[in-house]
């Protein structure tokens, strides 16, 4: 378990919090592994009825920690990210998120796997994949058009246009936009209400709504292979270098 991902219980709700605010909750391989482990644990624990993912006031997740990501991708250390993606595809209990501030990259694509998303008015959703010479991941190339339609999914995932909380709600990515000071309480109340419903009925209902996970797993495999190719491409290396130089200024 990573110190930068905390896992706690609030009655029947598992609370998972990104806990690296000094780095804007940018994910490392250890954080990917911790989140994947938390989802697996929740799935196997009969006392857990729902999982709620939180960030910190003003920041949800800044995407990948770029230095860690580059080291992992060049050294074959992407297994933790792949394990999380697999856990998301297999997760059959309610998954909720409360987003305050930026949700970048995986911070946004995670939302496609959530059953309920709460966002503050200052939340933003941004996936600059193609700016870095990369591709949509975590099944978002399949779930994005399914959720938002092709045009809006293209705008978010390929054109890299940031979505405001309200735009994300209109597109079907977010369920509720609430005041920042009410965000966590609202999400916790919803998670607890769902977690106290008959467990097996909820699991079956979610499975029916989500449908057969096989196409999603197949797409995730395709994305993963192509993503790794792109990471090692000259185009991506040039984009990463430009990004790191800009960040160092």
């Amino acid at each position: 378990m990573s110190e930068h991902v905390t896992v706690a219980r609030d009655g029947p709700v598992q609370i998972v919090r990104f806990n690296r605010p000094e780095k804007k909750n940018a994910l490392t391989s250890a954080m990917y592994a911790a989140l994947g482990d938390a989802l697996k644990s929740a799935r196997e624990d009969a006392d857990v009825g729902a999982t709620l993912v939180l960030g910190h006031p003003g920041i949800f997740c800044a995407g990948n920690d770029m230095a860690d990501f580059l080291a992992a991708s060049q050294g074959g250390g992407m297994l933790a990210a792949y394990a999380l993606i697999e856990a998301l595809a297999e997760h059959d209990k309610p998954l909720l998120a409360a987003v305050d501030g930026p949700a970048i990259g995986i911070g946004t694509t995670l939302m496609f796997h959530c059953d309920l998303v709460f966002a503050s008015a200052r939340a933003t959703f941004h996936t600059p994949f193609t700016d870095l010479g990369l591709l949509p991941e975590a099944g978002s190339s399949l779930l994005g058009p399914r959720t938002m339609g092709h045009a809006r999914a293209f705008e978010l995932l390929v054109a890299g246009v940031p979505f405001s909380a309200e735009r994300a709600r209109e597109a079907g990515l977010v369920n509720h936009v609430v005041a920042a000071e009410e965000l966590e309480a609202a999400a916790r109340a919803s998670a607890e209400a769902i977690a106290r419903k008959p467990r097996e009925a909820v699991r079956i209902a979610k499975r029916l709504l989500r449908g057969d996970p096989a196409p999603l797993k197949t797409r995730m495999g395709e994305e993963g292979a192509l993503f790794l190719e792109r990471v090692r491409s000259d185009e991506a290396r040039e984009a990463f270098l430009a990004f790191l130089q800009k960040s160092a200024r």
Side-chain angles (χ1 to χ4, degrees):
M1 186 64 67
S2 169
E3 64 180 304
H4 295 133
V5 175
T6 63
V7 181
R9 283 282 295 280
D10 184 3
V13 179
Q14 181 190 64
I15 306 292
V16 179
R17 189 185 298 275
F18 299 134
N19 190 37
R20 200 185 180 209
E22 72 281 3
K23 295 293 185 179
K24 299 182 180 180
N25 292 335
L27 297 189
T28 62
S29 295
M31 293 171 73
Y32 271 107
L35 182 54
D37 288 345
L39 291 177
K40 181 180 179 183
S41 175
R43 187 182 182 201
E44 296 174 350
D45 189 339
D47 293 329
V48 173
T51 295
L52 172 61
V53 182
L54 302 169
H56 284 264
I59 179 64
F60 180 71
C61 174
N64 287 307
D65 179 295
M66 293 304 292
D68 181 272
F69 172 76
L70 285 172
S73 62
Q74 299 302 321
M78 299 288 287
L79 294 180
Y82 295 151
L84 170 61
I85 289 169
E86 182 176 349
L88 288 169
E90 295 178 348
H91 197 67
D92 60 355
K93 288 186 178 180
L95 181 62
L96 297 83
V99 180
D100 185 24
I104 300 172
I106 185 64
T108 286
T109 54
L110 175 63
M111 300 303 110
F112 290 114
H113 297 276
C114 291
D115 303 294
L116 283 171
V117 177
F118 289 76
S120 74
R122 62 187 179 185
T124 56
F125 301 87
H126 184 206
T127 61
F129 297 128
T130 57
D131 291 337
L132 294 171
L134 300 176
L135 304 168
E137 34 81 306
S140 59
S141 66
L142 177 67
L143 298 177
R146 182 185 294 177
T147 300
M148 310 166 74
H150 171 82
R152 284 183 291 200
F154 186 93
E155 190 174 13
L156 177 69
L157 298 170
V158 181
V161 175
F163 276 38
S164 67
E166 188 56 36
R167 181 83 195 283
R169 188 193 65 78
E170 292 172 353
L173 190 64
V174 167
N175 296 87
H176 304 286
V177 178
V178 300
E181 61 272 17
E182 300 171 3
L183 177 66
E184 188 168 323
R188 282 176 178 264
S190 182
E192 182 172 0
I194 293 168
R196 295 198 180 281
K197 293 180 181 292
R199 295 273 162 78
E200 193 60 19
V202 170
R203 291 179 80 157
I204 293 171
K206 171 171 175 169
R207 188 171 69 242
L208 289 170
L209 289 172
R210 288 282 177 173
D212 183 1
L216 175 60
K217 291 182 178 181
T218 297
R219 179 61 62 86
M220 286 174 160
E222 293 171 355
E223 288 176 346
L226 292 168
F227 194 94
L228 194 56
E229 285 183 14
R230 295 302 309 155
V231 167
R232 295 171 177 171
S233 69
D234 290 340
E235 189 176 55
R237 279 195 291 269
E238 291 174 5
F240 284 134
L241 180 60
F243 175 86
L244 292 172
Q245 289 176 339
K246 182 178 179 181
S247 299
R249 291 173 188 167

